[in-house]
């Protein structure tokens, strides 16, 4: 996703687009500005984690340690998903909680702590991409406004974009037009 936003950025900066192309681009960008996308990804990851836990420790699945590991993985995701459903500026400090708790076994605690850096990096990258998508939507709308009205917009409020498309996912404030 992070790499994919580079193409539309180059296209928008290269020249004029037809109104139809601008509309299609805005609709595509809007489809990718889904605040629940990361949660949906982690629901899939949850199933993979359960399956992978059996592969990592082939002697665990039929023992009580294997069952505890799977229960702890489910507990971690149960704690994570509601946190990740919140905007980044609200969830970034809460994200530490599932990883700082003690789980049923030392293996569970160690395995879950190993997941922390990857999840934090993915969480930040996801929101960085959301910010880029919103900036592309704004750039597209600014160019369309200029082409239609013959002058630049005075503010983001002049653009015909939904309010949530104007929010910075990192602080929850309206993006700045400078």
């Amino acid at each position: 996703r992070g790499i994919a936003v580079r193409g539309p950025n180059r296209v928008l900066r290269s020249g004029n687009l037809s109104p139809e192309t601008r509309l299609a681009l805005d609709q595509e960008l809007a489809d990718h500005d889904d605040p629940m996308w990361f949660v949906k990804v982690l629901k899939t990851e949850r199933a993979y984690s359960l399956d992978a836990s059996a592969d990592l420790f082939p002697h665990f699945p039929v023992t009580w340690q294997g069952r505890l590991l799977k229960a702890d993985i489910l507990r971690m995701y149960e704690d994570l998903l509601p946190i990740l459903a919140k905007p980044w500026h609200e969830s970034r400090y809460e994200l530490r909680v599932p990883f700082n708790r003690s789980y049923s076994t030392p293996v569970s605690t160690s395995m879950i702590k190993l997941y922390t850096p990857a999840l934090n990096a993915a969480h930040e990258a996801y929101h960085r991409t959301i910010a880029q998508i919103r900036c592309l939507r704004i750039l597209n709308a600014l160019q369309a406004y200029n082409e239609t009205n013959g002058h630049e917009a005075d503010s983001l409020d002049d653009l015909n974009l939904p309010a949530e498309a104007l929010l910075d996912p990192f602080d929850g404030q309206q993006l700045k037009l400078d």
Side-chain angles (χ1 to χ4, degrees):
R1 288 171 53 98
I3 293 170
V5 296
R6 292 180 188 164
N9 185 25
R10 282 195 300 270
V11 168
L12 283 170
R13 293 175 184 277
S14 68
N16 293 335
L17 302 175
S18 70
E20 296 81 21
T21 302
R22 287 195 184 283
L23 181 61
L25 176 60
D26 186 65
Q27 288 173 342
E28 185 67 25
L29 291 169
D31 288 344
H32 291 279
D33 186 357
D34 179 1
M36 294 303 290
W37 180 83
F38 195 56
V39 172
K40 293 172 191 173
V41 167
L42 286 181
K43 286 181 178 180
T44 302
E45 183 71 16
R46 175 179 55 193
Y48 175 76
S49 296
L50 289 171
D51 188 53
S53 69
D55 293 341
L56 286 173
F57 303 103
H59 58 284
F60 271 15
V62 294
T63 65
W64 61 270
Q65 295 103 331
R67 289 189 183 105
L68 288 175
L69 175 61
K70 288 182 179 198
D72 288 338
I73 289 170
L74 288 173
R75 188 173 305 117
M76 178 198 68
Y77 280 104
E78 186 178 296
D79 291 345
L80 275 176
L81 294 176
I83 294 169
L84 294 173
K86 298 177 186 177
W88 188 84
H89 62 278
E90 294 176 18
S91 64
R92 64 185 176 144
Y93 296 115
E94 288 182 61
L95 200 53
R96 297 177 187 154
V97 173
F99 300 113
N100 288 334
R101 73 186 311 191
S102 291
Y103 288 90
S104 302
T105 68
V107 171
S108 295
T109 301
S110 297
M111 293 299 296
I112 289 170
K113 285 188 187 291
L114 287 172
Y115 190 58
T116 306
L119 182 87
N120 285 331
H123 186 234
E124 188 171 333
Y126 163 70
H127 287 287
R128 184 175 47 251
T129 303
I130 291 294
Q132 292 170 327
I133 287 170
R134 291 177 182 176
C135 288
L136 285 173
R137 287 188 77 190
I138 290 169
L139 176 60
N140 188 33
L142 285 168
Q143 289 175 345
Y145 184 92
N146 191 7
E147 290 168 7
T148 303
N149 298 300
H151 63 88
E152 293 182 358
D154 294 324
S155 73
L156 294 178
D157 297 330
D158 294 342
L159 307 176
N160 191 21
L161 290 173
E164 62 272 5
L166 304 176
L167 294 179
D168 183 337
F170 288 101
D171 66 8
Q173 302 298 312
Q174 189 176 49
L175 289 161
K176 313 295 185 273
L177 181 61
D178 290 325

Short mmCIF file of all heavy atoms in Angstrom, two decimals, residues 16-25 140 144 147-148:
data_model
loop_
_atom_site.label_atom_id
_atom_site.label_comp_id
_atom_site.label_asym_id
_atom_site.label_seq_id
_atom_site.Cartn_x
_atom_site.Cartn_y
_atom_site.Cartn_z
N ASN A 16 -2.48 17.67 -16.28
CA ASN A 16 -3.92 17.73 -16.14
C ASN A 16 -4.56 16.36 -16.39
O ASN A 16 -4.11 15.60 -17.24
CB ASN A 16 -4.50 18.74 -17.13
CG ASN A 16 -4.09 20.16 -16.79
OD1 ASN A 16 -3.79 20.45 -15.65
ND2 ASN A 16 -4.08 21.02 -17.78
N LEU A 17 -5.61 16.11 -15.66
CA LEU A 17 -6.39 14.89 -15.82
C LEU A 17 -7.81 15.28 -16.20
O LEU A 17 -8.29 16.36 -15.85
CB LEU A 17 -6.43 14.09 -14.52
CG LEU A 17 -5.11 13.65 -13.91
CD1 LEU A 17 -5.34 12.99 -12.57
CD2 LEU A 17 -4.39 12.71 -14.85
N SER A 18 -8.47 14.39 -16.88
CA SER A 18 -9.87 14.65 -17.22
C SER A 18 -10.70 14.58 -15.94
O SER A 18 -10.32 13.91 -14.97
CB SER A 18 -10.37 13.62 -18.23
OG SER A 18 -10.48 12.35 -17.61
N PRO A 19 -11.85 15.25 -15.93
CA PRO A 19 -12.73 15.17 -14.76
C PRO A 19 -13.14 13.73 -14.43
O PRO A 19 -13.24 13.36 -13.26
CB PRO A 19 -13.95 16.02 -15.15
CG PRO A 19 -13.43 16.97 -16.18
CD PRO A 19 -12.35 16.22 -16.91
N GLU A 20 -13.33 12.92 -15.45
CA GLU A 20 -13.71 11.52 -15.22
C GLU A 20 -12.58 10.76 -14.52
O GLU A 20 -12.82 9.96 -13.62
CB GLU A 20 -14.05 10.83 -16.55
CG GLU A 20 -15.26 11.39 -17.27
CD GLU A 20 -14.94 12.67 -18.07
OE1 GLU A 20 -13.75 12.92 -18.41
OE2 GLU A 20 -15.89 13.43 -18.32
N THR A 21 -11.35 11.01 -14.95
CA THR A 21 -10.19 10.35 -14.35
C THR A 21 -10.02 10.81 -12.91
O THR A 21 -9.73 10.00 -12.02
CB THR A 21 -8.91 10.63 -15.17
OG1 THR A 21 -9.12 10.17 -16.50
CG2 THR A 21 -7.71 9.93 -14.56
N ARG A 22 -10.21 12.10 -12.68
CA ARG A 22 -10.11 12.62 -11.31
C ARG A 22 -11.15 11.97 -10.40
O ARG A 22 -10.85 11.59 -9.28
CB ARG A 22 -10.29 14.14 -11.29
CG ARG A 22 -9.12 14.89 -11.82
CD ARG A 22 -9.18 16.36 -11.45
NE ARG A 22 -8.07 17.06 -12.07
CZ ARG A 22 -6.83 17.01 -11.64
NH1 ARG A 22 -6.53 16.31 -10.57
NH2 ARG A 22 -5.87 17.67 -12.26
N LEU A 23 -12.37 11.85 -10.91
CA LEU A 23 -13.43 11.23 -10.12
C LEU A 23 -13.11 9.76 -9.84
O LEU A 23 -13.27 9.29 -8.71
CB LEU A 23 -14.77 11.36 -10.85
CG LEU A 23 -15.98 10.77 -10.14
CD1 LEU A 23 -16.21 11.44 -8.78
CD2 LEU A 23 -17.22 10.90 -11.01
N ALA A 24 -12.65 9.05 -10.85
CA ALA A 24 -12.30 7.63 -10.67
C ALA A 24 -11.15 7.48 -9.68
O ALA A 24 -11.17 6.59 -8.82
CB ALA A 24 -11.94 7.00 -12.01
N LEU A 25 -10.17 8.36 -9.76
CA LEU A 25 -9.04 8.32 -8.83
C LEU A 25 -9.52 8.60 -7.41
O LEU A 25 -9.14 7.89 -6.47
CB LEU A 25 -7.96 9.32 -9.24
CG LEU A 25 -6.77 9.43 -8.30
CD1 LEU A 25 -6.04 8.10 -8.16
CD2 LEU A 25 -5.82 10.52 -8.78
N ASN A 140 -5.65 16.02 -5.55
CA ASN A 140 -6.56 15.81 -6.67
C ASN A 140 -7.69 16.84 -6.64
O ASN A 140 -8.01 17.47 -7.66
CB ASN A 140 -7.11 14.38 -6.62
CG ASN A 140 -7.91 14.01 -7.84
OD1 ASN A 140 -7.64 14.44 -8.95
ND2 ASN A 140 -8.93 13.17 -7.62
N ALA A 144 -8.46 19.94 -9.26
CA ALA A 144 -9.78 20.02 -9.90
C ALA A 144 -10.43 21.37 -9.61
O ALA A 144 -11.03 21.99 -10.51
CB ALA A 144 -10.67 18.88 -9.43
N GLU A 147 -8.78 23.99 -11.79
CA GLU A 147 -9.19 23.87 -13.19
C GLU A 147 -10.62 24.36 -13.40
O GLU A 147 -10.92 24.99 -14.40
CB GLU A 147 -9.07 22.41 -13.64
CG GLU A 147 -7.63 21.94 -13.77
CD GLU A 147 -7.50 20.43 -13.92
OE1 GLU A 147 -8.55 19.74 -14.05
OE2 GLU A 147 -6.37 19.94 -13.89
N THR A 148 -11.48 24.10 -12.44
CA THR A 148 -12.89 24.47 -12.56
C THR A 148 -13.12 25.96 -12.31
O THR A 148 -13.89 26.61 -13.02
CB THR A 148 -13.75 23.65 -11.56
OG1 THR A 148 -13.54 22.27 -11.83
CG2 THR A 148 -15.21 24.00 -11.67
#
